[in-house]
Amino acid sequence: MRRSLTRNILLVCIIGILVAIGVPGSRLAEAESWDAIVSKAQGQTVDWFMYGGSPSANGFVNGYVAPQVKELYGITLRQVPVNDIAEVVSKLLIEKQAGKTEGGEADLLWINGENFRTCKRYELLYGPFADQLPNQQLVNWERPSVRNDFGEPVEGLESPYGSAQVVMVYDTARISTPPATLGDLLDWVREHPGRFTYPAPPDFTGSAFVRHVFYHVSGEVQTWQGAFDEQAFETAAAATYQTLRDLAPFLWREGNTYP
């Protein structure tokens, strides 16, 4: 690491960043008090690599979080906006393969489940650290969606930053009774050609829609909460692709293009 790992732990607690980059297996001494950690963090600089395409997120980090961290803890927080965090993960992996274990650019990452899994499997993360953060008493680690990320056990290597949920927005002047389930939505799309579409994956919203279809056609969400069953996955995936192919002619522009 280019700078002290201590300030990484502090900043994660303050703003709920997901992962810290450092030496795998590193851990602050159990006997070290939080006051000592706060003291060591004074005067440190943290580079936070995160998706930079959200004006609201950028404004929150630079307009509120950074000034608060500076005022309360003497930490200089610098947002490093990127188009795709996977590019940063690839760079970290190349640095590790080249034997570089110090002097890296990234301190913290706002990361999604897929990239977390890659970082964990290639041992690019600092920790475990999450259980040492004071705010972890507010985190329900018993929830499967918190304990696991993209199906990968977290094991203290990231701290929750937030959660997302797909919400349907509709115009009450045009639709009096919206679909209540995914099955209802698929029926509505077929009955109203050209009035529905979804972003093409790997867009996050489009990917979420495809996953919802996957769960719908596979019949039972709990099937996918345990050990991976390749045969069950292949069967459900084939049914998902067929459902999407059958739906395409009823989409906006007949599914020939996606927003």
Side-chain angles (χ1 to χ4, degrees):
M1 286 295 298
R2 180 181 54 190
R3 313 182 196 91
S4 169
L5 288 169
T6 302
R7 52 77 197 279
N8 289 357
I9 299 299
L10 177 63
L11 193 62
V12 169
C13 177
I14 297 169
I15 58 180
I17 294 174
L18 295 184
V19 296
I21 305 303
V23 180
S26 299
R27 188 176 181 84
L28 296 178
E30 294 289 350
E32 190 165 27
S33 69
W34 189 251
D35 287 342
I37 294 173
V38 171
S39 178
K40 286 184 177 180
Q42 288 283 336
Q44 301 279 3
T45 298
V46 176
D47 288 334
W48 181 12
F49 283 68
M50 59 179 286
Y51 173 63
S54 170
S56 59
N58 295 340
F60 173 67
V61 170
N62 296 307
Y64 176 75
V65 176
Q68 288 291 308
V69 170
K70 184 68 172 179
E71 178 181 350
L72 296 174
Y73 300 100
I75 298 173
T76 299
L77 172 62
R78 300 189 301 200
Q79 181 202 21
V80 183
V82 297
N83 291 325
D84 187 348
I85 203 68
E87 298 173 2
V88 182
V89 173
S90 296
K91 183 175 181 180
L92 293 172
L93 185 57
I94 292 172
E95 289 180 346
K96 180 182 179 180
Q97 291 172 339
K100 185 175 183 179
T101 59
E102 296 183 355
E105 296 181 5
D107 297 317
L108 295 167
L109 303 181
W110 178 15
I111 200 169
N112 64 359
E114 184 176 6
N115 288 306
F116 167 73
R117 182 174 60 186
T118 299
C119 287
K120 181 186 175 187
R121 291 186 175 181
Y122 287 98
E123 298 185 335
L124 303 177
L125 303 175
Y126 172 83
F129 69 89
D131 62 318
Q132 296 176 273
L133 306 179
N135 70 336
Q136 292 308 291
Q137 62 183 314
L138 305 176
V139 177
N140 181 9
W141 287 102
E142 296 304 313
R143 289 182 57 187
S145 61
V146 175
R147 190 171 63 251
N148 302 283
D149 194 352
F150 218 72
E152 186 72 33
V154 171
E155 297 178 337
L157 295 174
E158 68 176 355
S159 182
Y161 174 73
S163 62
Q165 186 173 7
V166 174
V167 178
M168 179 180 290
V169 179
Y170 67 98
D171 185 349
T172 57
R174 303 179 66 184
I175 303 175
S176 58
T177 305
T181 67
L182 188 61
D184 291 343
L185 175 60
L186 298 180
D187 289 339
W188 187 93
V189 172
R190 298 184 188 100
E191 294 167 2
H192 301 82
R195 295 179 61 185
F196 179 87
T197 191
Y198 58 92
D203 174 89
F204 289 132
T205 304
S207 297
F209 176 75
V210 171
R211 288 196 297 272
H212 276 65
V213 174
F214 177 91
Y215 282 129
H216 171 70
V217 301
S218 64
E220 180 57 60
V221 172
Q222 292 304 318
T223 301
W224 313 105
Q225 303 307 309
F228 179 66
D229 185 328
E230 184 173 0
Q231 182 57 53
F233 173 79
E234 293 295 340
T235 300
T240 300
Y241 293 138
Q242 188 59 54
T243 298
L244 294 173
R245 283 193 292 267
D246 293 342
L247 191 68
F250 301 94
L251 299 178
W252 174 69
R253 295 189 177 180
E254 298 182 342
N256 290 315
T257 185
Y258 294 81

